[in-house]
Amino acid sequence: MNTIGDIVAKLDSVYPPDWAADWDRVGLVCGRPETRVDRVLFAVDCVAATVAQAKEVGAQLLVTHHPLLLRGVSSIAPTDYKGEILHTLIESKIGLYVAHTNADVASPGVSDALAERIGLTGLRPLSPIDDGPRGIGRVGVLPEPMTLAEFAQHAAGRLPGTAAGLRVAGDPERRIEVVAVSGGAGDGYLTEARAAGADVYLTADLRHHVAGEYIEDDSPALIDAAHWATEQPWLDLVAAQVRDAFDVDTVVSNRNTDPWGMHVASTDLSTTTQLGARVQADPADQRRLLTLQQIDTALNQLTHRRTHLPQETSVAELTKMVNAATDTQAQTEAAAYDLDRDIARVEREIEQVRNRADKDRARQQSGSASPKELTSLEHELQTLARRQSELEDQQLDLMEQKETAVATAQEQGELLNRRQEELSAVTAERDAEIADIEAEMARRRDEREETVAELPEDLVALYEKIRKRNQSVAAAMLRQRRCEGCRIEQPGGELAQLRTAAPNHVARCDNCGAILVRTSESGL
């Protein structure tokens, strides 16, 4: 049985409370240590919505990043917001545990999860503690350079969606390779981001004057994300840590507790820079992108089918069987050969015993042997007779073994023949399907080449960049205000801009970054 005390001890070992800032309040807030735990809910905030979710999923422990009781209180009466939350938790027998700044500086911790979510590698602390692996923030490298515009779209597609999305400061065409991140409020580490050689610094809660002065001083570009969105990726990490240590169910809350629930974009688009939307294309060409996407989807499906043929499993299994049958047959044939050799040896020994016995009988019957010699000859003949009997028993046993070995070898030979026939049949079936797939892929590639030739080069280049980054959908229809690629409804601000955008404006999905193709079904 797992208890609150067990899980608290584990979390305290991974995120020691003494790593927390002096002003912070972390650890177990409520819940009896001996309470049994079968399910744990992980959330960024302890608010009414996440407490309600803990009750809904049947959790006995709620683990959050942000403290509920950060400042001193003199009452937890249920008439107060926080008092009501505590009463609900206690009455529902749900414990509350907090890992805040001690999780921020851990390795791995909050910023590791954020950095990995956006695909960074070679991570090091942004502001290290004692020159070790722990510290605030992380600095890493992208798998391949991007422009700031591309990276912003990439990050927006990887981070949890919020109404505000991302705010970006810097030249959209700036080359981005080294990225600094800090989960939560990070404007206190702007100097460290510059010193780390970062091309862009992604964090939350950046202030107007601080960001404005920073960006003018030959510093990294800035991306200001929602506070909640930069810390939510950590929930998957801490849930895995608990799940690996205990036999409990873990649930990561998907409830957006970012307080900013609506974004209304400026109607004056003349002063707004739409990252990644510089390409313009005729609406007919944009619609033809859907045909190109259909072709690429078909090619992806064919590639998946080619690499996941059911016959491949059968070929592998039958190959193992053929190899095993071949080895067994070789072993039985070797055993039969050894038995032939042993039988021949025993036959030679029998022949030697018989010859010696014949000589002794001839001497016995010659009439020239003395009484003493006759007695000796009689004793030797008896010994030879016993030895011959033993050898003949051995011979019979060896012959029976050989008969069995020969029969086994024959059976294995027949089994090997059957397996080889089955393998040949399945291989032929697989090869025929591969030929069909490759023929269909060749046809689709020709069709793709013809489609690409009809499209503007800059539109195709944008499509290919998005396809390479997303590894899936690069163009999707906007149907009833929802992107058909990721199935996410577009924010109100984005829809407002699209309603007034020119027909040749190339729009992008706010969530996945795919090119959004507007039609009469877009619901604008």
Side-chain angles (χ1 to χ4, degrees):
M1 181 181 76
N2 303 302
T3 65
I4 286 179
D6 295 332
I7 296 174
V8 166
K10 173 62 179 178
L11 290 171
D12 280 351
S13 69
V14 178
Y15 307 107
D18 58 5
W19 287 358
D22 293 341
W23 51 264
D24 203 3
R25 298 295 179 265
V26 299
L28 184 64
V29 178
C30 68
R32 295 188 180 277
E34 65 272 17
T35 299
R36 173 173 175 164
V37 176
D38 296 310
R39 181 166 295 146
V40 184
L41 177 69
F42 299 85
V44 173
D45 299 292
C46 180
V47 293
T50 53
V51 171
Q53 185 179 14
K55 292 177 62 178
E56 291 168 10
V57 302
Q60 294 80 36
L61 180 62
L62 172 61
V63 175
T64 67
H65 183 52
H66 291 148
L68 174 65
L69 303 175
L70 185 59
R71 295 176 177 83
V73 295
S74 59
S75 169
I76 57 168
T79 52
D80 174 76
Y81 167 69
K82 292 186 177 182
E84 172 62 23
I85 285 179
L86 275 173
H87 274 75
T88 301
L89 288 169
I90 294 169
E91 291 165 359
S92 304
K93 296 182 179 179
I94 299 172
L96 173 62
Y97 179 90
V98 174
H100 190 208
T101 52
N102 49 334
D104 287 337
V105 300
S107 178
V110 172
S111 290
D112 294 276
L114 171 60
E116 290 173 3
R117 179 66 67 89
I118 59 177
L120 303 184
T121 59
L123 301 182
R124 66 183 192 274
L126 174 62
S127 179
I129 296 175
D130 298 329
D131 295 324
R134 295 195 301 114
I136 290 290
R138 291 294 180 267
V139 180
V141 180
L142 289 168
E144 60 181 43
M146 304 180 185
T147 65
L148 177 60
E150 291 169 338
F151 177 71
Q153 290 285 358
H154 168 76
R158 293 294 186 91
L159 294 178
T162 58
L166 303 181
R167 296 190 300 173
V168 185
D171 180 0
E173 299 302 320
R174 177 173 181 159
R175 177 187 171 91
I176 303 298
E177 186 170 7
V178 179
V179 179
V181 301
S182 185
D187 67 359
Y189 300 94
L190 292 167
T191 300
E192 286 81 352
R194 181 192 293 120
D199 300 310
V200 64
Y201 178 37
L202 187 155
T203 187
D205 301 344
L206 292 175
R207 293 169 293 168
H208 172 83
H209 292 294
V210 174
E213 294 173 5
Y214 185 78
I215 206 70
E216 293 292 336
D217 192 22
D218 192 27
S219 297
L222 294 175
I223 295 183
D224 185 27
H227 190 119
W228 172 84
T230 63
E231 294 176 332
Q232 197 274 345
W234 172 73
L235 303 182
D236 289 323
L237 169 62
V238 67
Q241 290 168 331
V242 170
R243 189 168 57 249
D244 290 344
F246 301 99
D247 184 19
V248 295
D249 292 334
T250 57
V251 180
V252 171
S253 176
N254 57 2
R255 296 195 178 177
N256 185 341
T257 53
D258 180 48
W260 308 107
M262 184 172 67
H263 175 184
V264 180
S266 171
T267 57
D268 181 7
L269 297 183
S270 63
T271 60
T272 301
T273 299
Q274 296 296 320
L275 293 182
R278 280 172 155 65
V279 175
Q280 295 183 338
D282 185 273
D285 288 333
Q286 294 188 47
R287 287 191 294 272
R288 271 195 285 271
L289 276 184
L290 297 178
T291 300
L292 180 58
Q293 181 62 69
Q294 290 174 352
I295 296 169
D296 284 334
T297 299
L299 284 168
N300 289 339
Q301 291 169 345
L302 288 167
T303 299
H304 182 272
R305 181 179 155 198
R306 171 65 182 85
T307 55
H308 293 79
L309 290 173
Q311 295 92 339
E312 292 287 9
T313 301
S314 299
V315 167
E317 291 175 353
L318 285 169
T319 299
K320 289 181 180 178
M321 292 179 183
V322 167
N323 293 337
T326 300
D327 292 343
T328 303
Q329 185 183 35
Q331 291 169 4
T332 54
E333 288 177 349
Y337 174 81
D338 291 341
L339 288 168
D340 276 336
R341 186 181 57 194
D342 291 341
I343 290 170
R345 175 183 54 76
V346 171
E347 287 177 345
R348 288 194 299 272
E349 290 186 29
I350 292 174
E351 185 64 24
Q352 291 171 358
V353 169
R354 285 174 178 167
N355 291 339
R356 181 59 184 268
D358 288 344
K359 287 181 180 179
D360 285 352
R361 279 190 289 270
R363 176 64 178 166
Q364 200 178 36
Q365 295 169 6
S366 67
S368 59
S370 66
K372 182 178 180 180
E373 185 180 359
L374 288 172
T375 301
S376 176
L377 288 170
E378 183 61 30
H379 178 72
E380 185 173 298
L381 284 169
Q382 291 174 1
T383 301
L384 290 170
R386 287 196 299 271
R387 177 58 180 161
Q388 181 174 339
S389 177
E390 292 172 356
L391 290 170
E392 287 173 346
D393 287 344
Q394 289 182 26
Q395 181 185 38
L396 181 60
D397 182 59
L398 289 169
M399 292 177 70
E400 288 174 351
Q401 290 183 43
K402 179 187 175 183
E403 184 178 350
T404 301
V406 170
T408 301
Q410 184 175 355
E411 290 174 1
Q412 287 299 320
E414 293 172 354
L415 175 62
L416 176 59
N417 290 336
R418 289 197 301 273
R419 295 300 188 213
Q420 287 174 332
E421 289 173 0
E422 292 171 5
L423 178 58
S424 296
V426 173
T427 301
E429 181 182 343
R430 179 202 63 186
D431 292 346
E433 185 158 356
I434 289 174
D436 290 343
I437 292 172
E438 290 180 347
E440 177 65 12
M441 291 182 77
R443 186 182 71 79
R444 287 289 190 175
R445 289 191 190 101
D446 290 343
E447 185 180 355
R448 187 183 199 279
E449 189 175 340
E450 293 173 1
T451 303
V452 167
E454 297 173 352
L455 294 169
E457 290 184 5
D458 56 350
L459 183 62
V460 172
L462 176 61
Y463 172 89
E464 295 293 2
K465 283 184 179 180
I466 299 171
R467 187 166 73 97
K468 184 177 181 180
R469 184 177 69 238
N470 288 358
Q471 297 294 309
S472 57
V473 176
M477 181 186 294
L478 178 65
R479 189 192 303 272
Q480 295 302 313
R481 301 177 297 281
R482 188 181 299 272
C483 170
E484 289 288 282
C486 62
R487 305 291 181 180
I488 298 296
E489 184 169 340
Q490 298 303 290
E494 295 295 325
L495 293 171
Q497 291 186 30
L498 289 177
R499 289 189 184 99
T500 58
N504 64 349
H505 170 74
V506 176
R508 300 281 292 277
C509 173
D510 184 69
N511 180 63
C512 69
I515 296 172
L516 281 179
V517 179
R518 291 165 288 168
T519 68
S520 58
E521 301 178 48
S522 294
L524 299 175

